[in-house]
Amino acid sequence: MASLVRLRSIPRCVPRASFVRTIQTSADTTQLQDSPHQSEPFTVKIHEDSFRTYNCEKPELDVQVTKSELLQMYKQMQTMRRMEMAADALYKAKMIRGFCHLAIGQEAVSVGLEHGITKEDLVITAYRCHPFAVLRGGTIKGVIGELLGRQIGMSHGKGGSMHIFTPTFFGGNGIVGAQVPVGAGLAFAQKYQEKPNCTFAMYGDGASNQGQVFEAFNMAKLWNLPCVFVCENNKYGMGTSAERSSSNTEYFTRGDKIPGLQVNGMDIIASKQAVQYARRWAVEEKKGPLLLEFVTYRYGGHSMSDPGTTYRTREEVQRMRSTQDPIRGLQKYIEEWGLASESELKQLDKEAKAEVDAAVEEAKASPEPLAKDLWTDIYYAGTEPPFMRGREREEVHHY
């Protein structure tokens, strides 16, 4: 009764949204449900506030996991972070030039996504793309080589940070929001060809207000395409907080007729569960598109030219690092559930560092593209014209 009295005493001008439970963003709130096994799957329970929904049901909170997959995800997150840290060091050494956007702090999104989809599903994103490129079939030396502008790079050193591709990963796109309609087009092709797969079209909170994003939403729902629109909400679009740029910061609700799911993007178990839910929605249940919002955080600036502390405090960044880090959260699970010791995890850390260090040295040893390479990789293989004019009409290059 006392709580009811307090509720009635609140002024009527307070919006009802104030009483909505917010998303949980801690990295270590999943609880063990039964005895952990060394070789068999066991059940854990995700925190009930790890998901919020819009016109759809929540994913199951009880999830089956295995020791081998948890250790694999741990090592992959460590490796992706080491790769991004290496890129940071190479940029500061002036060996990487131009644009370079790092995803340090957001590892649970890329690794969780990869563990929730199949090798035949498609992914397209913006320029914070390095982990996705590796996990979707690329290599660390291919990414680092591309950043260094070397022939060993995944685009032969001619694409840079924003243009890295694999057969199932369509970049790394530099124009804000432009990858979203391309992703819808990929999903259209999958539906047209009757393939049992879907496309994950990823964008950031900074791109969420682009008109082409809403145009893609409309066409995807109109044609009921197997497309999952994924907003990586890391709280800041360049140097602008989400609250300053968006009148509605609940990005998972912005699809109009498209249902949405918001997920704790700092807990990799919750991230994987959300991705599996989204894939079932689009592929197996054939319900059409879905909006999936990962609430995550980047530790660094928008790009290497952004110190990241002019529009947020150092204390805020340090608090996120120390209390909500996705790698430390998974480490806590593994140790508390008795799946591996601290020394065993440190060995995985060493292996990740050694793998990245070796890839960096191999990439640095690779030569730069030759002048003649300017005239290659312009057309899709097999579609090249017999010749191409150069800067002047008389300058002709033959294939």
Side-chain angles (χ1 to χ4, degrees):
M1 181 61 72
S3 61
L4 181 59
V5 171
R6 286 196 299 270
L7 182 61
R8 285 176 174 170
S9 68
I10 296 175
R12 292 185 179 183
C13 62
V14 176
R16 290 186 64 186
S18 301
F19 304 103
V20 175
R21 297 174 74 165
T22 57
I23 195 76
Q24 170 66 248
T25 56
S26 293
D28 57 359
T29 53
T30 295
Q31 299 294 318
L32 189 64
Q33 287 295 94
D34 57 22
S35 299
H37 299 276
Q38 296 295 315
S39 57
E40 299 296 325
F42 58 94
T43 304
V44 297
K45 189 179 186 67
I46 299 172
H47 193 284
E48 62 179 344
D49 291 334
S50 296
F51 305 114
R52 292 177 64 207
T53 61
Y54 170 73
N55 291 340
C56 63
E57 298 296 323
K58 282 186 178 182
E60 290 290 332
L61 297 180
D62 288 337
V63 181
Q64 290 227 314
V65 298
T66 63
K67 171 186 175 179
S68 60
E69 184 178 31
L70 292 176
L71 289 176
Q72 183 186 28
M73 291 194 296
Y74 176 83
K75 185 175 181 181
Q76 286 176 327
M77 284 202 291
Q78 278 285 20
T79 304
M80 294 304 97
R81 181 168 293 184
R82 287 286 182 182
M83 177 182 69
E84 296 288 65
M85 290 169 62
D88 179 280
L90 290 167
Y91 194 98
K92 289 173 179 174
K94 298 185 178 181
M95 295 187 70
I96 294 175
R97 302 283 186 156
F99 294 102
C100 185
H101 306 82
L102 306 180
I104 299 173
Q106 300 181 202
E107 294 85 1
V109 175
S110 56
V111 177
L113 177 75
E114 187 60 31
H115 280 258
I117 63 179
T118 71
K119 296 298 181 185
E120 290 73 35
D121 293 323
L122 306 179
V123 177
I124 185 170
T125 189
Y127 34 68
R128 210 175 303 280
C129 64
H130 310 152
F132 296 103
V134 175
L135 295 166
R136 288 270 84 196
T139 63
I140 298 170
K141 66 182 179 183
V143 168
I144 297 296
E146 192 59 40
L147 298 180
L148 292 171
R150 306 301 173 91
Q151 291 182 22
I152 202 173
M154 290 174 63
S155 295
H156 308 301
K158 297 183 289 185
S161 179
M162 299 189 194
H163 304 98
I164 305 176
F165 310 88
T166 75
T168 58
F169 177 65
F170 289 75
N173 292 267
I175 299 176
V176 177
Q179 74 279 5
V180 180
V182 177
L186 293 171
F188 178 85
Q190 288 171 318
K191 183 171 184 176
Y192 185 83
Q193 296 171 342
E194 298 182 345
K195 292 185 175 180
N197 302 104
C198 63
T199 295
F200 286 78
M202 311 187 73
Y203 60 101
D205 54 286
S208 65
N209 299 313
Q210 290 285 320
Q212 58 198 330
V213 172
F214 294 97
E215 292 171 5
F217 289 173
N218 180 63
M219 298 307 293
K221 186 59 181 176
L222 187 65
W223 293 334
N224 232 33
L225 301 180
C227 189
V228 180
F229 296 102
V230 184
C231 178
E232 285 186 277
N233 177 11
N234 61 22
K235 310 296 181 66
Y236 298 93
M238 296 188 72
T240 305
S241 67
E243 290 74 15
R244 291 180 59 213
S245 66
S246 301
S247 60
N248 178 8
T249 58
E250 295 183 331
Y251 299 103
F252 70 108
T253 69
R254 296 175 66 174
D256 190 17
K257 298 290 186 179
I258 302 177
L261 172 64
Q262 186 184 56
V263 57
N264 175 7
M266 302 304 276
D267 187 318
I268 193 166
I269 297 177
S271 296
K272 180 195 171 188
Q273 179 73 342
V275 170
Q276 289 180 320
Y277 173 95
R279 189 183 187 280
R280 281 194 301 271
W281 176 284
V283 178
E284 298 171 20
E285 299 171 5
K286 299 184 185 299
K287 292 182 179 179
L290 182 75
L291 257 64
L292 180 60
E293 177 192 350
F294 286 107
V295 182
T296 183
Y297 197 84
R298 57 171 164 82
Y299 296 158
H302 171 71
S303 68
M304 287 300 299
S305 60
D306 168 23
T309 54
T310 56
Y311 47 87
R312 57 183 183 178
T313 64
R314 295 181 186 274
E315 289 74 22
E316 176 186 313
V317 178
Q318 185 55 40
R319 184 178 69 253
M320 293 297 294
R321 277 184 176 272
S322 60
T323 64
Q324 300 185 36
D325 185 77
I327 299 178
R328 297 285 75 79
L330 181 54
Q331 177 185 355
K332 181 179 177 182
Y333 293 151
I334 292 171
E335 292 180 358
E336 288 188 352
W337 298 344
L339 303 176
S341 65
E342 181 180 359
S343 61
E344 289 173 321
L345 292 180
K346 284 185 177 180
Q347 180 58 36
L348 293 180
D349 298 346
K350 291 180 181 179
E351 292 174 7
K353 182 178 185 302
E355 181 181 357
V356 171
D357 288 347
V360 168
E361 292 307 312
E362 190 171 354
K364 287 163 64 176
S366 177
E368 296 180 353
L370 304 176
K372 65 181 181 62
D373 294 332
L374 289 170
W375 305 96
T376 61
D377 300 315
I378 297 173
Y379 293 90
Y380 183 76
T383 67
E384 304 92 341
F387 64 90
M388 183 168 48
R389 288 203 299 261
R391 294 164 297 177
E392 300 175 358
R393 182 179 297 272
E394 293 75 21
E395 185 179 8
V396 176
H397 296 262
H398 294 273
Y399 280 96

